[in-house]
Amino acid sequence: MLRIGLTGGMGAGKSTVARALVQRGAVLIDSDVIAREVVAPGTPGLTALTEAFGTEILDADGSLDRPALAAKAFRDDKSRTTLNSITHPLVGQRTAELFATAAPDAIVVQDVPLLVENHMAPFMNLVLIVDVAAETRIRRLIEFRGVPEADARARIAAQATDEQRYAAADVLLDNNGPAGAVEAAVHRLWDERLVPFEANLRSGDAVRPAPRIVEPDPQWAAQAQRLIARLRVAAGAVAVRIDHIGSTSVPGLPAKDVLDLQITVADLAAADTIRDALANAGFPAIPEYIHDNPKPTPGDESATDLRRWEKRLHGSADPGRPAYVHLRAEGSPGQQFALAFRDWLRADADARAEYTEVKRKAAAAAAGLRAHEATAAYLAVKEFWFDSVYERVSDRRGIYPE
């Protein structure tokens, strides 16, 4: 299933977005609702809270008096830790139960007010942030929820900043506009990105865009970091390191709008153990690419041995953010060249200009061809040039194979 994280500041309009998603068929898991369910009268959660904080946290009817609990639970770090140790496992267990009941082809939207604050974004396939100016949010809290202004400002100040949310956002839904505008944006998102993403995830298909060179996007670096965070969760200890490589990792360089990421592993047997975990995270395997093209190495006849250039390749199932994930063994010539080539381009303006011209020629060679033919034509031009610069790049970094 496709797992979507939904969040935004207080008063941003998450409920409006959630309703629109449910109308289109999403399964909604609301963390606020779950947080109330697990401490309802008669639950083990409420019993544990009263044992920890006393019966003073109960209303006359035996239900939880939330302001009374807050007064006790947030007075110091120890009390807050006690509260979290009781409620967080219960919320997690109930959330897991709800996920287990969802259909295999479901698009599950998890509404989590503190998704950014609790560092949950890497556990989602995609994160939607509802964005509204802070002053608008404050006004909404005052007018529609009856919250005193000082309290509204204090609550918003205690949450993540706009910049922190932007850093976590795969999709930023602007809710500053007229009525109905954000719902229209949600419907477009559902049709153009979420439904195809889920279908690709279920079928195990990676997005493979046609080779087309675009001007550099200053958002590439931040987008890469979001994907790297997901890959770290999926790969766990198998990943020695994860790097943003390729043209999109070089500031100011025109490139295909496809991120290249490299997971360095101890060996490719380890890479195979995380194949399914990467697919579930949104990066299915592309099995036909099992090695890089060997680069010519004068004086080293073994350099053309394909086994030295073996790798695994995965791709993003998200049509809104194409990416390739290369898994290479630590110390292999392909792993070292990927890093050395990136650093060479970052440091050398002439190299960037030369590579830009090569890429434009490659894209021209691929223009008008069908998908696989276009890719082959594009790579043929680039690989010839890679061969010609391999010695320069390798010597510069001292990684020439021995």
Side-chain angles (χ1 to χ4, degrees):
M1 66 186 68
L2 185 65
R3 184 171 180 170
I4 305 295
L6 172 65
T7 194
M10 293 182 67
K14 293 194 310 300
S15 297
T16 300
V17 170
R19 280 194 300 272
L21 289 165
V22 169
Q23 287 171 2
R24 295 305 305 270
V27 174
L28 178 65
I29 297 178
D30 190 323
S31 295
D32 274 347
V33 171
I34 294 173
R36 284 174 165 74
E37 285 181 357
V38 299
V39 293
T43 61
L46 186 59
T47 299
L49 287 178
T50 55
E51 290 175 353
F53 296 103
T55 56
E56 298 87 352
I57 65 170
L58 299 177
D59 278 330
D61 62 359
S63 61
L64 181 63
D65 182 340
R66 291 185 172 275
L69 174 62
K72 289 195 169 193
F74 294 103
R75 62 190 173 191
D76 54 54
D77 289 341
K78 182 179 179 181
S79 299
R80 186 182 298 107
T81 299
T82 299
L83 172 66
N84 291 340
S85 69
I86 294 170
T87 59
H88 285 186
L90 295 171
V91 170
Q93 179 182 344
R94 180 57 180 153
T95 300
E97 291 171 354
L98 293 172
F99 268 105
T101 63
D105 62 348
I107 296 176
V108 181
V109 176
Q110 195 171 351
D111 183 342
V112 187
L114 299 181
L115 183 146
V116 174
E117 292 85 343
N118 290 335
H119 309 290
M120 296 175 62
F123 298 90
M124 307 293 172
N125 295 124
L126 203 70
V127 172
L128 315 183
I129 303 288
V130 187
D131 183 43
V132 173
E135 289 302 318
T136 302
R137 284 185 272 136
I138 291 169
R139 177 176 53 78
R140 289 177 179 176
L141 291 175
I142 295 170
E143 293 182 4
F144 303 125
R145 300 192 194 178
V147 178
E149 181 176 348
D151 191 12
R153 292 187 181 278
R155 292 187 191 186
I156 286 177
Q159 291 189 322
T161 64
D162 288 343
E163 289 72 23
Q164 289 169 325
R165 290 196 188 92
Y166 296 159
D170 297 293
V171 178
L172 198 63
L173 293 167
D174 185 354
N175 197 18
N176 290 289
V182 75
E183 291 93 334
V186 169
H187 293 316
R188 289 193 299 272
L189 176 69
W190 181 269
D191 292 330
E192 297 172 7
R193 189 166 184 177
L194 301 189
V195 170
F197 193 172
E198 187 282 322
N200 289 339
L201 197 63
R202 184 160 32 92
S203 62
D205 291 327
V207 177
R208 307 193 202 186
R212 185 173 68 86
I213 304 303
V214 300
E215 292 305 305
D217 185 344
Q219 293 300 314
W220 280 336
Q223 292 167 359
Q225 290 308 309
R226 286 194 288 274
L227 298 194
I228 286 172
R230 291 190 180 108
L231 292 170
R232 283 199 183 102
V233 170
V238 170
V240 175
R241 60 185 288 177
I242 305 179
D243 295 279
H244 185 194
I245 60 170
S247 299
T248 59
S249 70
V250 181
L253 185 67
K256 292 187 299 178
D257 189 17
V258 181
L259 303 179
D260 281 286
L261 308 168
Q262 177 172 267
I263 302 179
T264 297
V265 294
D267 53 53
L268 292 181
D272 292 335
T273 67
I274 58 172
R275 177 186 173 116
D276 290 344
L278 294 179
N280 290 335
F283 305 94
I286 303 177
E288 65 266 34
Y289 290 99
I290 59 173
H291 61 79
D292 295 305
N293 287 341
K295 304 296 183 290
T297 307
D300 183 5
E301 295 180 359
S302 68
T304 57
D305 185 347
L306 286 178
R307 290 171 297 181
R308 293 185 61 181
W309 293 85
E310 196 174 354
K311 72 172 182 179
R312 300 291 182 266
L313 183 66
H314 288 243
S316 171
D318 177 11
R321 181 58 276 159
Y324 292 123
V325 182
H326 310 258
L327 290 88
R328 298 183 174 106
E330 185 173 22
S332 66
Q335 183 260 352
Q336 294 186 75
F337 180 67
L339 298 174
F341 183 69
R342 176 199 65 188
D343 295 343
W344 178 56
L345 292 176
R346 286 177 176 177
D348 192 323
D350 290 339
R352 292 195 295 274
E354 184 179 347
Y355 187 37
T356 298
E357 181 62 23
V358 169
K359 286 190 296 181
R360 295 197 189 283
K361 288 180 180 178
L369 299 179
R370 289 180 294 183
H372 290 294
E373 294 173 343
T375 298
Y378 181 82
L379 291 177
V381 175
K382 285 181 58 178
E383 287 297 336
F384 179 81
W385 183 76
F386 283 152
D387 289 350
S388 72
V389 301
Y390 180 62
E391 187 174 354
R392 273 194 282 164
V393 174
S394 299
D395 279 345
R396 180 179 177 275
R397 274 282 296 266
I399 63 166
Y400 218 22
E402 297 178 357

